[in-house]
Amino acid sequence: MKKDILICGVGGQGTVLASKILAASAMVDGDAVHSAETIGMAQRGGPVTSHVRIGDDAYSPLIPFGSADLILAFEPSEAVRNLCYLKKGGTVIVNSVPVKPVTESLNDTGYDGTEMLSYLRGKCDCIVIDGEELSKEFGSSRYFNIAILGVAAGAGRLGIPQEIVLGEIVKRVPARFTDTNKAAFQKGAEIGAQYAIK
Amino acid sequence: MKEYVMGNGAIGLAALAAGVNLVSGYPGTPSSEIVETIAKYPHEGVHVEWSVNEKAAMEVAAAAAYSGARTLVTMKQVGLNVASDPLMSLAYVGVKGGMVVVSADDPGPISSQTEQDTRRFAEFARIPVFDPASPEEAYEMIGDAYECSEKYRTPVLFRPTTRVDHAYAAIDFPEKTEPKPFEGFIKDSKKWVIFPRLSFANHAMMEKRNVEIGEEFSSYRYNTVEGTSEKAVVASGISYAYAKEFLKDYPDVRLIRIATPYPFPETFVKKALEGVTEVLCVEELSPYNEEQIAKLCGRNGITLTIRGKLTGDVPASGELSTNLLAGIFRKYLNLPEGEGAIDLSDAPALPMRPPVLCAGCPHRASFYAVKKAMQGRKCYFCGDIGCYTLGNAMPLDMCDTCLCMGAGITMAQGFHWTDKEGTAFAFVGDSTFFASGMTGVVNAVYNNAEMILCVLDNSTTAMTGHQPHPGTGRNMMGDIVEKVDIAAVLKGIGLTKVVTVNPLDLDASVKAVLECAALPGVKAIIFKSPCVAIVKPTGKCIVNENCINCGLCISEIGCPALIRVDGQTKIDRSLCSGCGLCSQICPMGAIEAEEVSR
């Protein structure tokens, strides 16, 4: 395998678009790609995952446990839920903003994501991104899926040239949102650059 | 041209490349995207339809196949139960044009009622079945399935599983496809009219023919053997992909893949098992290969230890995965433990995220109105298949039963006959009503049952991805068609009390339920309001200063947009659709609707 990347979050966060852009970028970069999506009942506020497998010898559409080079987590507890997929020495890029379960208002468990983040920090190479702060200038958290790709690319964890990813983003987002998405990607890349392995 | 498509997309594109003339199906996860793909890509001259249910889809296709046309019928595995009546007979009558029936299995199950195995259905119906391991293979095998169907004049089953349906791969397909020319229907009642004599003759023919197909499958390109070890592994479909993922590091291990489970390729398997002392069958859903191999060995006096589900080496239920197989293979092949993964035994407890009805979902309002109106009275709430099965969750708790498509309507009658004191309700969605609800209503009227039918009409088939249905006025050919009016259907059946109400108007809805509950016989309430996922919200609700934080709104309806922030009740604006149900519940008048300009 050249690279296994797992994207995880909660239904509605835009993980599927991120996975499509990633797969398309890897193909433009000359690699064979396979991926798999969670579809169906799980989408209704449930946990969602996309498995992106880059390289010639992917047989299972799902990444085996302990094999992912990179996890892009849109939510702290979802990062922990999927940490079993990470290989030793792999990287987790995680949004620090928690999504409370929809049942939280009925049974308050006090979940706020902080316990998850400190656990992640103790377990792996972990880049924590404040999605709220990052999205502020774009007026909506819905650009986070593009920004996190920028973080991964800027941090040198993606293995795909930034301009290829940017090209695939432009192809896949509506024209009137192109500039904002480009800016979100670049902002992400700037943040990511701080974590680049020198 | 090359495109990155879902496994279901690959199946649809392969059917177009094979010159399919007619495509029919009924939506159901994980199969729905096949028909949608064909409708999305150029398909001039191909008839594409969402049929009213799987039985209808199969019968529409059967006539086309009698005429020599190539047909594709798609459904999920439980849909095959609905279509089994025509399929079982069609297996005897046979076809002229190639007929491929895709029945997508759902190990887990992830979004289904059962873990049934379509390979068993193929054996039961005595027709061939193909079992692809990846989107690429699915693409290639569809063409083979048409060849097989036409050569042997039989419908052919094709069974992908969820992880093949929803996996993505780059598929190379022709830019331009054309439907295959066909002869048309040639009348011949000795051939196309099923009578006992024909069935007797054809049954004998089928059994003889299946031996021939099994022989032909023995040299099929996807029935393969890798490695030479005495301890062998047998896999098929996605289980082969999982097995191969692990065994790629152990190329000596003999890995036998069976891509055509029925008719079982006996000659191939016998040869593949030469020199084998022990075999482990890894498969999902049922021990099909395991049993076939046991029978084969018994008949041929082959001495072999056969392991799998029946010996407890492979779990009897649920999905397999490379991870699960890794443990099973290590034990079976005496391999050393793998490299230690990250130790997660000290992970904090994770929040549960059960699926819930969306914020603003009109089903929530419908359930709540019935609950409110019938408070303190003995009721039976029969649910059905769709998003609204989620009405079972707390705090609504409005779904006592759910069995299969349309069953709620007939089960409500059963509850009435066993307890006349209670009021029997059936909740059914609009698409499910057309699929298999109408006959149940006729049954109720005919047998003088007493019940209240609640049609939750959100103008779409929401759960499976918003497919059109007879009540929506659109079809898969892109035509604007006459809407089949549910109220008119119910009145036509003979119901005298049919009320249509907007569920988001709580008072009117409660009134409608009370009115119906006071009347004898079969009554219907059509709760009509579009799915929130397909309409743009017109407003948002806000909590004003009158709020005393009693939490009643949250504990009554459990809408995900109602949240508590630092002990204060708030509305999550990113989720709120402005349906206003909560504002009608609040005793303090503390929730107001706010118009949103767009």
Side-chain angles (χ1 to χ4, degrees):
Chain A
M1 266 338 286
K2 206 169 160 193
K3 221 171 188 68
D4 277 334
I5 303 173
L6 187 114
I7 305 176
C8 58
V10 175
Q13 284 190 310
T15 50
V16 174
L17 179 62
S19 118
K20 286 197 167 153
I21 289 168
L22 208 49
S25 305
M27 277 189 279
V28 171
D29 201 24
D31 285 310
V33 184
H34 288 86
S35 56
E37 307 285 353
T38 336
I39 292 168
M41 220 173 197
Q43 283 177 304
R44 304 270 183 280
V48 291
T49 55
S50 300
H51 296 240
V52 182
R53 312 204 66 197
I54 304 168
D56 287 327
D57 59 343
Y59 293 96
S60 162
L62 305 179
I63 299 169
F65 286 173
S67 300
D69 299 271
L70 176 65
I71 292 181
L72 301 179
F74 287 47
E75 205 279 339
S77 69
E78 295 312 313
V80 177
R81 200 187 303 279
N82 291 289
L83 201 54
C84 49
Y85 288 102
L86 194 71
K87 73 155 90 154
K88 274 187 170 170
T91 302
V92 174
I93 302 178
V94 58
N95 183 3
S96 63
V97 181
V99 176
K100 292 193 178 188
V102 286
T103 48
E104 184 75 7
S105 54
L106 288 166
N107 327 292
D108 193 350
T109 59
Y111 170 68
D112 66 359
T114 49
E115 194 188 355
M116 303 292 157
L117 294 174
S118 56
Y119 183 75
L120 288 166
R121 285 192 173 105
K123 283 286 168 186
C124 58
D125 172 31
C126 178
I127 301 176
V128 180
I129 305 296
D130 183 339
E132 212 167 84
E133 183 63 33
L134 187 153
S135 307
K136 233 180 221 165
E137 65 185 89
F138 309 115
S140 166
S141 58
R142 70 180 161 188
Y143 298 103
F144 183 80
N145 57 354
I146 301 299
I148 197 170
L149 293 176
V151 176
R157 303 297 205 284
L158 216 49
I160 306 168
Q162 286 192 27
E163 56 280 9
I164 289 182
V165 184
L166 203 51
E168 293 308 304
I169 291 169
V170 171
K171 267 192 230 166
R172 275 168 183 77
V173 299
R176 61 199 166 110
F177 300 123
T178 302
D179 289 342
T180 320
N181 278 296
K182 270 174 145 174
F185 182 81
Q186 263 137 8
K187 175 92 188 275
E190 278 166 35
I191 296 171
Q194 301 164 26
Y195 300 92
I197 301 159
K198 306 226 161 63
Chain B
M1 59 194 286
K2 210 162 192 171
E3 251 186 76
Y4 194 62
V5 296
M6 198 188 265
N8 281 339
I11 293 170
L13 292 172
L16 283 173
V20 72
N21 300 98
L22 182 142
V23 180
S24 55
Y26 186 75
T29 311
S31 71
S32 311
E33 298 83 2
I34 303 170
V35 167
E36 288 173 338
T37 299
I38 293 170
K40 196 177 97 184
Y41 283 83
H43 59 271
E44 209 189 324
V46 182
H47 174 78
V48 189
E49 71 169 52
W50 279 130
S51 306
V52 73
N53 61 28
E54 295 86 351
K55 172 174 149 68
M58 186 83 73
E59 291 156 351
V60 167
Y66 286 6
S67 305
R70 281 196 165 180
T71 61
L72 181 74
V73 191
T74 80
M75 62 201 66
K76 68 183 296 176
Q77 89 286 38
V78 285
L80 192 59
N81 302 339
V82 177
S84 64
D85 196 0
L87 183 67
M88 294 305 290
S89 299
L90 197 57
Y92 282 76
V93 175
V95 294
K96 188 162 84 179
M99 180 173 191
V100 176
V101 178
V102 180
S103 166
D105 282 348
D106 184 23
I110 300 172
S111 35
S112 301
Q113 302 95 297
T114 70
E115 273 209 303
Q116 64 188 69
D117 190 332
T118 294
R119 297 176 300 172
R120 299 280 184 193
F121 227 120
E123 188 191 21
F124 180 43
R126 321 303 286 167
I127 57 174
V129 60
F130 289 76
D131 190 5
S134 68
E136 293 95 327
E137 246 179 61
Y139 182 84
E140 293 293 323
M141 278 189 182
I142 284 284
D144 301 340
Y146 277 110
E147 297 293 325
C148 176
S149 172
E150 279 172 5
K151 181 170 176 188
Y152 294 99
R153 298 186 160 239
T154 175
V156 165
L157 277 164
F158 194 89
R159 82 104 192 205
T161 49
T162 306
R163 301 301 183 184
V164 172
D165 293 304
H166 291 169
Y168 281 78
I171 300 289
D172 210 350
F173 61 96
E175 202 153 332
K176 202 168 158 23
T177 59
E178 265 173 36
K180 200 177 174 211
F182 59 94
E183 189 181 27
F185 183 60
I186 311 289
K187 293 192 186 199
D188 181 354
S189 67
K190 284 195 201 68
K191 195 167 175 182
W192 304 119
V193 179
I194 193 162
F195 269 123
R197 206 170 50 170
L198 176 83
S199 303
F200 170 77
N202 282 4
H203 186 192
M205 177 278 292
M206 286 154 70
E207 295 304 331
K208 198 163 152 268
R209 170 203 75 191
N210 284 348
V211 175
E212 274 174 52
I213 300 178
E215 267 311 296
E216 186 172 316
F217 281 170
S218 281
S219 53
Y220 183 53
R221 56 179 168 155
Y222 289 112
N223 289 328
T224 55
V225 190
E226 295 153 81
T228 53
S229 63
E230 285 181 10
K231 277 190 160 192
V233 171
V234 168
S236 67
I238 193 70
S239 306
Y240 168 77
Y242 297 146
K244 180 77 184 160
E245 182 75 37
F246 180 84
L247 294 174
K248 66 186 178 190
D249 295 331
Y250 305 93
D252 293 344
V253 176
R254 192 180 309 205
L255 174 57
I256 302 166
R257 166 172 46 172
I258 297 164
T260 53
Y262 186 83
F264 202 63
E266 294 197 357
T267 304
F268 160 76
V269 176
K270 258 194 289 187
K271 190 154 186 307
L273 290 175
E274 275 171 17
V276 168
T277 54
E278 199 170 346
V279 64
L280 173 71
C281 297
V282 292
E283 53 196 324
E284 295 173 318
L285 304 173
S286 79
Y288 176 85
N289 287 332
E290 194 179 345
E291 288 176 13
Q292 291 292 336
I293 289 173
K295 288 184 212 167
L296 179 73
C297 290
R299 274 199 304 275
N300 292 278
I302 300 169
T303 310
L304 198 61
T305 303
I306 303 164
R307 296 189 176 281
K309 288 180 184 290
L310 298 172
T311 51
D313 291 272
V314 175
S317 64
E319 262 197 298
L320 294 180
S321 65
T322 303
N323 318 309
L324 214 147
L325 290 188
I328 295 170
F329 286 155
R330 285 203 174 98
K331 192 171 152 222
Y332 174 62
L333 300 166
N334 301 315
L335 299 173
E337 279 305 301
E339 277 175 51
I342 301 171
D343 175 25
L344 300 173
S345 54
D346 54 347
L350 295 168
M352 298 290 287
R353 299 188 192 276
V356 289
L357 293 171
C358 301
C361 174
H363 298 336
R364 177 179 291 104
S366 306
F367 283 125
Y368 186 70
V370 176
K371 187 175 184 175
K372 224 40 210 166
M374 301 306 289
Q375 216 155 31
R377 291 164 69 173
K378 190 176 185 193
C379 293
Y380 296 90
F381 300 121
C382 300
D384 223 299
I385 308 285
C387 289
Y388 50 97
T389 316
L390 297 173
N392 77 320
M394 297 306 274
L396 287 172
D397 189 19
M398 283 295 287
C399 186
D400 297 329
T401 67
C402 177
L403 185 65
C404 65
M405 291 284 287
I409 297 173
T410 20
M411 291 186 74
Q413 296 160 40
F415 284 119
H416 166 70
W417 294 124
T418 45
D419 177 11
K420 301 223 176 66
E421 300 301 307
T423 310
F425 283 85
F427 296 94
V428 68
D430 38 353
S431 185
T432 308
F433 173 79
F434 289 116
S436 52
M438 294 186 291
T439 46
V441 183
V442 176
N443 192 66
V445 172
Y446 171 54
N447 288 300
N448 272 324
E450 200 153 292
M451 64 172 288
I452 301 176
L453 169 67
C454 299
V455 183
L456 308 179
D457 182 359
N458 62 359
S459 304
T460 188
T461 317
M463 181 102 261
T464 48
H466 300 104
Q467 290 80 12
H469 63 64
T472 62
R474 286 177 299 121
N475 67 20
M476 256 347 226
M477 295 298 279
D479 301 329
I480 302 298
V481 292
E482 196 68 41
K483 287 183 190 179
V484 180
D485 182 348
I486 298 175
V489 169
L490 292 170
K491 284 176 190 156
I493 289 172
L495 269 64
T496 49
K497 182 73 178 171
V498 179
V499 199
T500 301
V501 65
N502 176 4
L504 301 176
D505 183 341
L506 183 58
D507 288 343
S509 298
V510 170
K511 196 171 144 257
V513 178
L514 288 171
E515 244 176 64
C516 288
L519 294 171
V522 185
K523 295 82 56 178
I525 306 166
I526 301 168
F527 289 103
K528 197 168 172 59
S529 181
C531 173
V532 278
I534 56 169
V535 289
K536 286 198 168 175
T538 52
K540 302 268 173 202
C541 289
I542 47 167
V543 181
N544 67 25
E545 66 285 356
N546 295 339
C547 178
I548 54 165
N549 281 310
C550 65
L552 192 75
C553 51
I554 292 171
S555 63
E556 284 289 288
I557 57 172
C559 174
L562 291 165
I563 51 171
R564 285 221 191 243
V565 182
D566 304 326
Q568 299 285 308
T569 304
K570 297 262 191 254
I571 287 169
D572 181 340
R573 292 181 66 85
S574 67
L575 292 176
C576 179
S577 71
C579 79
L581 178 65
C582 54
S583 71
Q584 298 168 68
I585 288 161
C586 179
M588 305 304 294
I591 306 178
E592 305 167 47
E594 178 189 86
E595 289 289 318
V596 168
S597 55
R598 281 196 172 257

